[in-house]
Structure formats: C-alpha cells, structure tokens
Amino acid sequence: MKPDVYAPADLAKDSPPPLSDYGWRMLAEGDSWFSITAVSLDSANLLQELQLPRTTAVVNCAAPGRTLQRMVDRRADGRCERLLCAPRLARAWDAVLLSAGGNDLIVAAATPPVDAAGVPTPVAQRLLRTEDEVGPASQAADWISEAGWDRLADHLRVHFAAFVHWRDSGPSAGRPLLLHTYAVPVARPSGAGLARQGWLYPALLRYGVPAAWQQPVTELLFERLRRLLCGFDQASGGPDATPAVHVFDSARRVALVPASPDDAGPSGDWINEIHLSASGYRKLGRAWGAWIGEVLARYP
C-alpha cells in the first residue's frame, strides 16, 4: 500500500495527522526524487509510488534541487534536524528515508572550467577536465578530474556523517536510515524550468566532451556515486560502513527503460534528463518498498 505523505507544517496544525494510527512512521529528507510532482507531465515522485506492506505515514522534508550539503545546513532549512534531534520537537521514527548525492554530483559537474572573470578553475575544484587537458581520450576516466572527484567524495562523506549524527542525537538513535542509489540517466538536452537543456548535457558540452564520450562519462560518474553510497551500508565491509544504514542499490536492482539521447522530451522511463516519469518511479517504488519491509522486519 502507498504511504500517506505529510509536510512538516502539517504537524503543527490544529488537527495534525494521526501518526499513532499508522503501522510505521517515517521521516524523509531528500531531493527532487522525493519532492517533484507534475501530474500534467506524467511525473510523480518516489515517495508517492512506494508500495509498503504496512500502513505508513511519511513526513517529508525534501525539496527540489537540494544537495546533501544544503540538507545539513541549519541556515537553509532545519526542519529535518528539528524533527530528528531538537529538544521537545524531535520524534521517534521507525525509519528515516534519505535521497541524496545526485544533486551534489550534478552541481560539481556544472562547475565551469573558467569563472566569470576569465580565471581558470583549478582542476581540484571541478569534476571534469577540458578537451585541451584530455587530448586524445582513450577511456571515460580521462575526462574526470581525479582530484575533483576525491573532493566531491569527501564532501559527501562529511555531510552524510553530519546527517547520521542528527539521527543518533535524538529519539530515533539507531533506527534504520534508508538510502537508494540513482539510476544512470542519459545525457541529453531535456530539462525543466531554467535548465531547459538539462543539467549534465550542458556541462559536458562546456568541457568539450564529444558526443561519443558523453554517455560513457555519465555512466562512470554515476557508477562512482553508486559505489560511494553503497559503501555507507552497514554491511559493506568498507571504511565508510555506518551502523543502521542500509542502501537499496536501485541502479543495479531495478531495470528502467533508458531515454533516447536524441529525444528532448519524455522518453523511456524518464520525464527529462535526470528525473523519472511516473512509470519509472512506480517500478522503483515497488522494489524499494518491498526491500524497506524486509529491512524493518529485522528491527524491533
């Protein structure tokens, strides 16, 4: 069954949602995969398409375009932190859902090679390398700044640790923190709002990445992000493994129909370059929801 999704402001209403009536109560924080709804565009979001084995209320703090850095910045919002660990405001949640990392990668990729004053951006402060720096490319990794990737990875580790600290500083300490990996998008000129040409595609063009290398570079970046997120799982066995963190590897476990690189509109299971259509979220929501049920069955 699908969850009932509430905004944090609903908790302060004269007639707040009856959270105690639900089998599970969850707190969600994240990006557009948790927050965008555009029925006219045949789109939805992942939370709306979850299929869970128990009645569930989700209090959703997510917002479009939000990076993990912004999620843990008290000055930016603070609602999620308050509901996790603020005195007299925090609640005990059965689980915390987190959708994060994708926007951080996209923002890093969009860092221009030269700033507005014409000063080159140091290679360690950007994720991509220019055509002049690469020369004749022989592999997708040639287009990636290794120092820039290390910087992004460390950035994600620091801010993820801050989020975990919130969880463990309140009544939800030790409760499962559930993440997902991101399906690999197809770099193409398909966007929304001010990003009419998409998000990754303009960045790849700016760095002079040829058409033949655009998808291999995109796939490599998202594979690195997938491995980093999976490393947070408590069972990963790696240095980033974190207690009571579980990662659903949707990039590997859910087969989505890719978009056509020449299609500027909805294509396959995608509404645009980086967002899924309702059909895509539905496939992901069924699989992730079943997995969530399996994880929570292991927690008293």
Side-chain angles (χ1 to χ4, degrees):
M1 59 192 76
K2 291 185 178 182
D4 290 332
V5 181
Y6 300 100
D10 293 334
L11 301 179
K13 291 181 176 179
D14 292 337
S15 297
L19 298 187
S20 61
D21 292 349
Y22 291 88
W24 286 328
R25 291 150 293 279
M26 301 183 186
L27 181 66
E29 177 61 288
D31 50 30
S32 54
W33 277 33
F34 276 7
S35 58
I36 282 183
T37 302
V39 175
S40 63
L41 296 177
D42 186 35
S43 188
N45 67 53
L46 180 52
L47 295 180
Q48 291 177 322
E49 297 298 338
L50 279 177
Q51 289 288 344
L52 295 161
R54 187 179 297 186
T55 60
T56 303
V58 177
V59 177
N60 185 22
C61 300
R66 187 167 288 176
T67 60
L68 182 55
Q69 179 178 7
R70 185 173 177 82
M71 293 175 203
V72 299
D73 185 347
R74 295 183 181 89
R75 298 166 298 177
D77 191 318
R79 294 177 299 175
C80 190
E81 179 194 19
R82 290 193 291 273
L83 290 172
L84 278 174
C85 60
R88 297 184 300 278
L89 294 175
R91 296 170 179 246
W93 304 99
D94 293 296
V96 180
L97 309 178
L98 181 62
S99 178
N103 281 332
D104 298 80
L105 184 151
I106 290 168
V107 168
T111 302
V114 178
D115 67 18
V119 178
T121 304
V123 69
Q125 295 179 18
R126 47 187 167 89
L127 195 53
L128 297 173
R129 300 173 67 212
T130 66
E131 188 174 16
D132 289 341
E133 291 168 336
V134 172
S138 60
Q139 57 182 344
D142 293 339
W143 293 95
I144 297 175
S145 162
E146 294 302 330
W149 171 259
D150 290 343
R151 184 171 183 259
L152 172 62
D154 288 342
H155 156 100
L156 289 171
R157 291 185 181 101
V158 166
H159 294 299
F160 181 71
F163 193 89
V164 172
H165 177 71
W166 288 355
R167 180 200 63 179
D168 291 340
S169 298
S172 298
R175 296 305 300 174
L177 174 55
L178 309 176
L179 291 77
H180 65 82
T181 60
Y182 290 85
V184 179
V186 171
R188 60 191 180 108
S190 177
L194 298 177
R196 301 306 302 175
Q197 292 296 302
W199 295 265
L200 293 164
Y201 180 72
L204 295 170
L205 290 183
R206 188 178 298 120
Y207 278 86
V209 181
W213 283 112
Q214 288 173 8
Q215 193 56 30
V217 170
T218 299
E219 291 174 0
L220 179 57
L221 287 173
F222 274 81
E223 172 59 18
R224 289 188 177 192
L225 178 62
R226 186 195 73 82
R227 292 199 301 262
L228 178 67
L229 292 174
C230 286
F232 293 137
D233 191 290
Q234 68 171 19
S236 71
D240 295 327
T242 307
V245 169
H246 305 271
V247 183
F248 179 64
D249 191 4
S250 57
R252 290 286 180 88
R253 296 179 61 172
V254 181
L256 297 176
V257 179
S260 168
D262 300 322
D263 198 335
S267 181
D269 281 325
W270 299 79
I271 194 71
N272 56 38
E273 187 187 47
I274 63 172
H275 299 110
L276 298 178
S277 65
S279 66
Y281 285 124
R282 196 170 300 122
K283 293 176 183 178
L284 185 54
R286 284 196 298 264
W288 198 33
W291 177 87
I292 289 172
E294 294 170 1
V295 172
L296 289 184
R298 305 199 297 267
Y299 284 79

